[in-house]
Amino acid sequence: MEKNKIKIIEYGALTSTKGGIESYIITQLRHINKDKFQIDFLVPNEYEELAYEHEIKALNSKIYRGYIRWKNSFFGHYYTLYKFFREHKGEYDIAIGNYLDLQNINFLIMAKIYGIKVEIAHAHAGENLRKNWKRNLLVKINRFLLYFIVDYLYSCSQEAGKWMFGDKLWNKKKHFIIENSIETKSFLFDINKRNYLRNFYNVKDAIVIGHTGRFAKEKNHDFIIDIFYELVKKGKNVYLFLIGDGILRSKIEKKIKELQLNNRVFILGERNDVNELLNMMDIFLFPSKTEGLGISLIEAQINGLYCFTSKDVVPNSVKFTDHLNFISLNKGAIYWANEILKVSKKNREIYNEKKVISNYNIDNTIKIIEKIFSEVVK
């Protein structure tokens, strides 16, 4: 059956952090028909362990540490990409570049040169924070080049696709919205897990606020702490749980200490039981500065949590329950805190599987992905 498989090589999909792209990738790998599709990954030639690396390998996907980062060596980057595609010429049917920004499309250029049948660019982010003339120039050049290089465009949302590729390229190329779907059953509310976890962390009678996301500028942890501090100043019995890790963790830990919030803030790091931890929470706080979709908000809504996120930053398409509230980041921490208190004592609505929007159910999405892969190769 191996010779009949459609083989896909992906770039930009894996890092050492369990972020949105990594979550999308591992969920897809768990459910895709492995008799028909083989998905492998090209990552930088560094030795840090990647998120879900052991499971990815256990699912028979290959990880090639096969290129030098562009920022580390301009010529080394091109040479190692050239070397990889030369060694694997004729092996892959589809090349997918996963992007949070469009400053570097060299992977797709090299895939085109070496005759891979189908090139796909996949947008995973909305408006990026890094804005300067060099970046804008590169993006304009790369959008022009993509017109001749890619066969299809993917995006996690309509907004992210148009921002990443521009209206002209997005409208002229055939494109697909690939929802960042999840295993919905595992995120449904469980009262027994709620009671157990609230007892375990000794927050049984408190308002529990949560956030999942890497500690990076885009996720706006500084503002999360500011909002939480306003709630504490109001004398509320509140606790904050931050799930994730990243380069800004030590900075946030310092801020928590300076505000004397140590006893009220739990930083749990990267976890494999986010679906269980959501049951313990009352409020989900997600004031991102930029988002392609916000898969964490999908998970939280399925669990029935009241969610607060950034207006005009997070795509409106992420909302599928009345529990998601959009607030402008310009409103300030006091305003956000007051809005949270308006709903903090309401009973969460418990969702059953039939009420969960089908677009975000991986069982439905994987059928769409498999169909696309089969058709684009033809």
Side-chain angles (χ1 to χ4, degrees), residues 8-57:
I8 301 116
I9 184 70
E10 298 210 28
Y11 167 97
L14 301 176
T15 67
S16 59
T17 303
K18 293 179 179 178
I21 300 180
E22 290 78 11
S23 175
Y24 160 80
I25 290 295
I26 193 62
T27 304
Q28 180 176 277
L29 285 180
R30 288 168 182 162
H31 290 264
I32 202 163
N33 187 331
K34 296 168 188 61
D35 291 329
K36 294 183 179 179
F37 304 96
Q38 171 76 30
I39 303 178
D40 299 330
F41 303 93
L42 179 62
V43 302
N45 60 347
E46 299 162 358
Y47 293 100
E48 61 180 352
E49 184 173 323
L50 300 168
Y52 307 107
E53 180 165 349
H54 295 292
E55 185 177 358
I56 289 169
K57 290 179 177 177

Side-chain angles (χ1 to χ4, degrees), residues 100-103 125-133 135-136 139 163-164 214-222 247-248 287-292 310 312-314 329:
L100 296 173
D101 203 338
L102 212 57
Q103 296 185 67
E127 187 168 354
N128 200 286
L129 297 174
R130 298 183 292 274
K131 293 181 180 179
N132 56 60
W133 71 268
R135 179 254 173 214
N136 291 336
V139 167
W163 174 81
M164 180 75 72
R214 68 188 185 280
F215 282 76
K217 186 177 180 181
E218 293 84 355
K219 298 301 180 182
N220 210 5
H221 283 81
D222 257 322
I247 57 174
L248 295 182
S288 293
K289 293 182 177 181
T290 175
E291 282 294 337
S310 317
D312 300 326
V313 174
V314 175
L329 291 174

Side-chain angles (χ1 to χ4, degrees), residues 158-173:
Q158 186 83 2
E159 295 92 334
K162 288 189 174 184
W163 174 81
M164 180 75 72
F165 303 116
D167 287 340
K168 187 175 181 180
L169 182 62
W170 182 251
N171 292 330
K172 286 194 174 184
K173 285 289 181 179

Side-chain angles (χ1 to χ4, degrees), residues 10 85 135 224 274 305-306 335 377:
E10 298 210 28
F85 282 105
R135 179 254 173 214
I224 292 173
V274 173
L305 280 167
Y306 284 90
Y335 184 90
V377 169

Side-chain angles (χ1 to χ4, degrees), residues 37 365-377:
F37 304 96
T365 304
I366 202 67
K367 294 175 185 176
I368 297 171
I369 292 171
E370 290 178 350
K371 183 179 180 182
I372 292 172
F373 283 161
S374 299
E375 290 182 353
V376 299
V377 169

Side-chain angles (χ1 to χ4, degrees), residues 17-199:
T17 303
K18 293 179 179 178
I21 300 180
E22 290 78 11
S23 175
Y24 160 80
I25 290 295
I26 193 62
T27 304
Q28 180 176 277
L29 285 180
R30 288 168 182 162
H31 290 264
I32 202 163
N33 187 331
K34 296 168 188 61
D35 291 329
K36 294 183 179 179
F37 304 96
Q38 171 76 30
I39 303 178
D40 299 330
F41 303 93
L42 179 62
V43 302
N45 60 347
E46 299 162 358
Y47 293 100
E48 61 180 352
E49 184 173 323
L50 300 168
Y52 307 107
E53 180 165 349
H54 295 292
E55 185 177 358
I56 289 169
K57 290 179 177 177
L59 292 169
N60 294 321
S61 287
K62 298 175 184 176
I63 296 175
Y64 299 100
R65 285 179 164 81
Y67 72 93
I68 296 173
R69 290 184 186 273
W70 196 22
K71 65 180 181 180
N72 293 338
S73 173
F74 180 81
F75 293 105
H77 175 73
Y78 281 99
Y79 175 73
T80 48
L81 281 177
Y82 151 77
K83 186 178 178 182
F84 173 82
F85 282 105
R86 184 188 64 186
E87 291 175 355
H88 297 275
K89 188 174 183 179
E91 185 175 342
Y92 290 97
D93 304 293
I94 300 174
I96 300 178
N98 295 279
Y99 299 108
L100 296 173
D101 203 338
L102 212 57
Q103 296 185 67
N104 180 349
I105 61 167
N106 300 325
F107 166 81
L108 290 177
I109 293 173
M110 204 64 71
K112 189 74 171 181
I113 291 171
Y114 273 85
I116 290 183
K117 293 179 184 177
V118 179
E119 282 72 42
I120 298 170
H122 193 158
H124 289 273
E127 187 168 354
N128 200 286
L129 297 174
R130 298 183 292 274
K131 293 181 180 179
N132 56 60
W133 71 268
K134 291 182 180 178
R135 179 254 173 214
N136 291 336
L137 178 60
L138 278 171
V139 167
K140 287 181 180 179
I141 293 171
N142 288 338
R143 282 177 179 170
F144 173 77
L145 292 174
L146 281 177
Y147 183 82
F148 303 98
I149 293 169
V150 297
D151 300 284
Y152 304 94
L153 302 175
Y154 284 3
S155 181
C156 59
S157 69
Q158 186 83 2
E159 295 92 334
K162 288 189 174 184
W163 174 81
M164 180 75 72
F165 303 116
D167 287 340
K168 187 175 181 180
L169 182 62
W170 182 251
N171 292 330
K172 286 194 174 184
K173 285 289 181 179
K174 188 168 184 179
H175 57 262
F176 300 94
I177 302 297
I178 307 296
E179 308 286 3
N180 287 1
S181 302
I182 62 174
E183 295 161 331
T184 53
K185 289 181 181 178
S186 67
F187 285 91
L188 296 174
F189 180 71
D190 188 323
I191 187 65
N192 293 322
K193 290 177 181 176
R194 175 179 174 83
N195 292 336
Y196 169 77
L197 288 165
R198 288 174 75 91
N199 282 323

